Structures are given as structure tokens and as C-alpha cells.
Amino acid sequence: MFNGSVGGDSFQAAKVATVAAFTQRFDLNMANFTDVAVAPDKNSPVRDNPGPGSAMDTHQNGVFAILTCTEVVLCQRQTADIVADKTGHFKTFFQCFYQPPVFYLNMRHVMNFAAVRVNKSWQDHGNGDQLAQFALAYKDLPCLAFTHFQPAQPTTVGKRASLWLEDLLLDFESLEFQLSQMKLLGSKGTTGTQASFLELFNGDHSKVKQLDQKIAEKMGFAACFPVSGQTYPRKVDSQVLSVLSGIAQSAAKFSSDLRLLQHLKEVEEPFEKSQIGSSAMAYKRNPMRSERIASLSRFVMVDALNPAITSATQWFERTLDDSANKRLSIPEGFLAIDGILDLCLNVVDGLVVYPKVIEKRLMSELPFMATENIMMDAVKAGGDRQELHERIRELSMEAGRNVKVEGKDNNLLELIAADPAFNLSLEELQKTMDPAKYVGRAPVQVEAYLNNVVNPMLEANKEILGVTAEINV
């Protein structure tokens, strides 16, 4: 039944022999290479459970750990880099990652790996603050908010961090949902009809169905697709990379915000003692890590188009124009996401906040934000609201000109105090300049969000936490 195109007659590994005997060209073709490592060359033995310092461990800062998934699944019966020795064990190797990969990585396992990394981006590892702790630590620190990157009503540093957290939470929920829905193709045959298997079992439909279920169980899946062509639906690939694209979008948003904040000198990413900020300008502190996040995220977002187009252009029961594309787009998408999350872990662990700079910028704009409160106080003192509104508009324009044209400090409070229509002294106006009065419910929102949403999620997944990241710049 099996045509022997992988390993020929010697394809007799104990853990896959039973499945192989009944399998003809089903998409996730062969089953259970337990803890297969990547050998540095085809003559080197494959080692189970590779440790630190192994060839696999050193590749790409450890991202090839993905290949140690419990089931590494052979795709499309490729033969070039697979050899079987007399004992039926398999030796696998990648001379270079960018050669066409032989293995199609079991996406359920690598998505579990991604779940660990997304989850870990929230949590602390030892003595460093991570995103949840960062949001809590700075929930009460007022800062200037921006809409259209123009000064807007104040928020807090912790509240802004909670928005980054919320993006990651949405990604984690999408990832968990996708994991919960994943099915195996099973033994469907060349066009998905299972005709060969029905013949094999002398027309016994129940045994054909049992075979599907046994294969699913062996591979660690709850079920197989009930109907298919020759392959599992390529829409699955698109859905998986859409999850990765979502993670990349969140990471890109975080990195963009941080790059702007570093420009404003309010918050900075980590900067090593011996790090060179610029090869030309020694004084600079370029946000290299955040720029890497943005660059890799852009790659993943564009990469998600590959399986989408592939899914849309499959012909009938199957066409092979998916194969070469997916062996690049899917593994590289996961590898890029792993690098992105490494960078995010490293950046969040070392964020530096400059409260004095934040306060200075906020106070330079706060008089404009306080005009509504000032106008209400003046109305309570007997003023006419419509007239006061017009006067505040005129005085705000004058104060703005002083700042932009003359390069002076914002003197709006002085201008209002000098206008008899308001009947307010400068001392009274300055009392309204407490930033905490203008952040609304931001601190309460952050605390409630962490207690009710983030912390329960972390507690529920505490067993998969513990990933750290070291970045060389």
C-alpha cells in the first residue's frame, strides 16, 4: 500500500511502522520521530534531547528548539535529506536553514511554543519587571497622552502599558482558540475518499473510521478532519499565520510607541554599558531592539499573505503549488515570531522611565487641558460661560504663539490671571495644575484589569512560564 518513496523497504521504524503500512500519501505523512535533534551533518548521529551547546541549541539563538517537538512530521514524502539506517532510526540534518526545509513542523506543537512565549511576555522572570509589573508600578504616574501624535488629555504610564498588554491578551486568546480547533488530516488517500483504506479493510467502514481516530490519538490530536481532499484544508495554514501576524502587529505597535517615547526621552529601551548607539554619532542611543522588533514584525505580517493566497488558489482536491511556498512561509513565520518575542522579553525587562521629563512635558501642556476646569471655576465665581469660552480660546491662541513663535514657556495661566473676566488669581489657577486630577479612572482601570484579567490568566498558565531572553546588540 505504501509506495516506499521515503526510505524504501527499510522504512520500518518501530513507532511508525503500523501507521506507514496503512498510509498512502496523506498530508502529515509519517508520525512519530520522538525528540529528533538536528544533526550538523548527514554522517553525525542524531541525539535525543539535545542539551545546551549542541548544534541545534546554538542555531539562531536557540529557535531550532522548535524542532524537538514530540512529533516532527514529514511533509510530502521528500527523500533528499532523509536516510534510514538498518535499525530503522532516522538521521536528519539541515546543512543550512535557508535550504528548502524537509520537515513540515507540527504546527500544534510550535503554536504551543508560541503560546509560552506570548504568555511569558507578560510575566516577570526573577528580579526584572515585565509588562504586567511595569503597568502596576506606573499606574499612578501621569503623562501626556497623544491622539494624532498631538497633545491630548493626560493618561498614566501604566495605563499606556495596559494597552500593550491588551493587544497581547487578544493574541493569546486567538492562539489558544486556534490550538483548540486544530485537527489532523488522517488517512484520507489520494483524493480524500479513503477508497484504498475501504478496500484494505474489505469494505468495513467502521475500521476505516477507527484508523483515522487511532492516527489522531497517536499524533496527539483529538480528531481528524471529517472530510478533505488529498491534503488538510490549506485555510488552516492561513489561520495559523494570521495568529502569528496578530502577534507581530502587537509587537510592532509596542515597538513604535517605545521608539517615539525614546525620542521624547520619556521611556527608553535597555542600553548596555558598552553598547554603541550610533557608528557615526557617539552620543546617540538608537532604539536598536525596538527597530528589530518593527523590522521582523513587518516580515511576519507580509508573510501571512503566503498561505492566504495559497489557500485561495488550490485546485479541486489538491495541487502542488502549495508545497515549496509553505515550507518557507510557515517555518520562517514561527522563527521570526520567536525572535520578536525574544526581543520583547528583553526590552520590557529593562525599560527605563524618566519621571522628571514626563512631568516637564505634561506641565507644559496641562494649562491647555485645564481650561475646561478653569472656565467652570470662573462661572462659579459669577462669569458668563459663553464669554469666558471665547476669551479662553483667544488667550490659548496667544499662549500657543508665544510657545511656537517666541520659543517661550506656556504662559496661559498668567494671561488668564491678568484677565478680569475670570476673577481668578494666579495662585488659584496653579492649584488646578495637579496632573492626577486629569487622568480620570486610569489608575483604577489598570489595577482592575490586572487583578481581573491578566493575573488570572497568568495563574492559569503558570506551569508554562519561565522563558528568558538575552539579546546581543
Side-chain angles (χ1 to χ4, degrees):
M1 178 65 70
F2 185 74
N3 63 16
S5 59
V6 179
D9 295 335
S10 64
F11 191 62
Q12 299 296 327
K15 291 185 177 181
V16 299
T18 302
V19 178
F22 300 106
T23 301
Q24 181 185 32
R25 300 177 67 186
F26 78 93
D27 190 46
L28 297 181
N29 269 327
M30 300 321 307
N32 214 348
F33 303 105
T34 303
D35 290 325
V36 175
V38 179
D41 60 70
K42 67 180 180 181
N43 297 314
S44 298
V46 173
R47 293 178 293 168
D48 291 338
N49 302 317
S54 67
M56 190 192 76
D57 181 68
T58 58
H59 266 298
Q60 295 290 322
N61 196 26
V63 293
F64 271 94
I66 294 172
L67 290 174
T68 63
C69 299
T70 303
E71 293 95 17
V72 180
V73 183
L74 190 62
C75 179
Q76 300 308 331
R77 307 197 317 273
Q78 299 301 306
T79 61
D81 295 334
I82 304 296
V83 293
D85 62 22
K86 293 180 181 179
T87 64
H89 291 91
F90 286 84
K91 297 177 181 180
T92 68
F93 64 95
F94 282 90
Q95 295 289 6
C96 173
F97 170 64
Y98 289 103
Q99 293 176 352
V102 175
F103 286 107
Y104 168 61
L105 306 180
N106 183 328
M107 286 190 293
R108 188 170 61 84
H109 284 284
V110 290
M111 286 186 75
N112 271 320
F113 184 73
V116 173
R117 307 309 296 272
V118 174
N119 202 325
K120 185 57 191 170
S121 295
W122 304 45
Q123 181 64 295
D124 70 320
H125 54 77
N127 57 9
D129 282 338
Q130 286 287 34
L131 205 47
Q133 285 70 33
F134 181 88
L136 182 64
Y138 293 101
K139 67 181 177 66
D140 295 310
L141 180 60
C143 66
L144 190 63
F146 295 95
T147 58
H148 315 278
F149 202 34
Q150 301 299 309
Q153 191 176 50
T155 184
T156 70
V157 173
K159 175 60 188 298
R160 181 175 283 147
S162 74
L163 303 183
W164 302 330
L165 272 171
E166 177 68 358
D167 284 347
L168 283 173
L169 175 62
L170 293 173
D171 297 326
F172 188 74
E173 290 172 344
S174 295
L175 194 153
E176 285 198 313
F177 173 78
Q178 195 60 43
L179 279 168
S180 72
Q181 300 300 303
M182 295 196 81
K183 301 179 182 70
L184 194 66
L185 173 66
S187 52
K188 297 299 195 294
T190 56
T191 60
T193 66
Q194 298 179 299
S196 299
F197 299 99
L198 190 62
E199 178 69 21
L200 178 68
F201 292 119
N202 298 316
D204 191 332
H205 290 265
S206 65
K207 287 186 177 180
V208 177
K209 290 192 291 185
Q210 287 177 35
L211 176 62
D212 251 8
Q213 188 58 40
K214 287 180 180 296
I215 290 173
E217 291 171 0
K218 183 67 175 177
M219 298 289 287
F221 286 77
C224 293
F225 282 100
V227 294
S228 73
Q230 186 183 111
T231 69
Y232 67 85
R234 290 300 180 241
K235 186 174 283 290
V236 173
D237 297 347
S238 180
Q239 291 172 340
V240 168
L241 257 67
S242 290
V243 174
L244 301 191
S245 175
I247 298 170
Q249 293 162 37
S250 299
K253 169 67 164 64
F254 163 69
S255 70
S256 295
D257 284 356
L258 188 54
R259 290 157 70 191
L260 292 170
L261 289 170
Q262 184 151 331
H263 167 75
L264 298 174
K265 298 181 173 62
E266 293 189 1
V267 183
E268 286 185 344
E269 67 174 38
F271 193 86
E272 308 299 336
K273 186 175 296 185
S274 59
Q275 182 177 332
I276 304 300
S278 167
S279 59
M281 293 164 276
Y283 64 89
K284 293 188 71 179
R285 296 168 67 98
N286 294 339
M288 296 179 180
R289 293 168 172 86
S290 297
E291 288 172 333
R292 288 185 192 176
I293 293 171
S295 182
L296 289 171
S297 296
R298 191 177 307 130
F299 168 81
V300 174
M301 287 184 277
V302 173
D303 187 44
L305 289 173
N306 279 298
I309 295 171
T310 295
S311 175
T313 56
Q314 286 293 284
W315 296 352
F316 301 115
E317 283 68 43
R318 200 271 159 87
T319 182
L320 196 59
D321 61 345
D322 65 331
S323 183
N325 182 286
K326 71 177 290 183
R327 284 183 233 156
L328 292 172
S329 61
I330 293 175
E332 289 189 358
F334 277 105
L335 291 169
I337 282 293
D338 187 72
I340 289 167
L341 292 176
D342 263 347
L343 288 161
C344 288
L345 283 166
N346 181 263
V347 167
V348 175
D349 188 38
L351 285 176
V352 181
V353 179
Y354 297 104
K356 294 296 184 182
V357 177
I358 292 171
E359 181 184 17
K360 181 179 179 181
R361 177 165 288 103
L362 176 57
M363 296 308 294
S364 70
E365 299 287 349
L366 193 60
F368 294 123
M369 285 95 189
T371 52
E372 181 69 19
N373 289 20
I374 291 172
M375 186 171 61
M376 290 300 99
D377 289 341
V379 169
K380 291 175 184 177
D384 180 273
R385 187 189 185 285
Q386 194 62 32
E387 292 179 3
L388 293 172
H389 184 279
E390 179 60 20
R391 287 298 298 147
I392 282 184
R393 188 190 68 81
E394 294 171 353
L395 296 176
S396 295
M397 295 300 104
E398 182 179 347
R401 282 193 297 273
N402 290 336
V403 171
K404 296 173 185 177
V405 178
E406 304 294 334
K408 298 178 179 178
D409 292 336
N410 186 342
N411 66 336
L412 179 59
L413 296 184
E414 287 79 1
L415 293 174
I416 292 174
D419 193 320
F422 290 92
N423 196 27
L424 294 171
S425 67
L426 182 59
E427 291 73 17
E428 290 174 312
L429 292 171
Q430 288 173 338
K431 289 179 181 179
T432 66
M433 293 296 104
D434 178 6
K437 293 180 178 179
Y438 300 94
V439 298
R441 298 187 66 249
V444 177
Q445 287 177 336
V446 172
E447 194 163 4
Y449 177 63
L450 294 177
N451 289 336
N452 299 331
V453 180
V454 176
N455 292 338
M457 189 283 300
L458 291 173
E459 179 64 25
N461 294 278
K462 61 183 178 182
E463 72 281 356
I464 64 172
L465 299 176
V467 178
T468 61
E470 180 179 344
I471 303 298
N472 297 317
V473 292

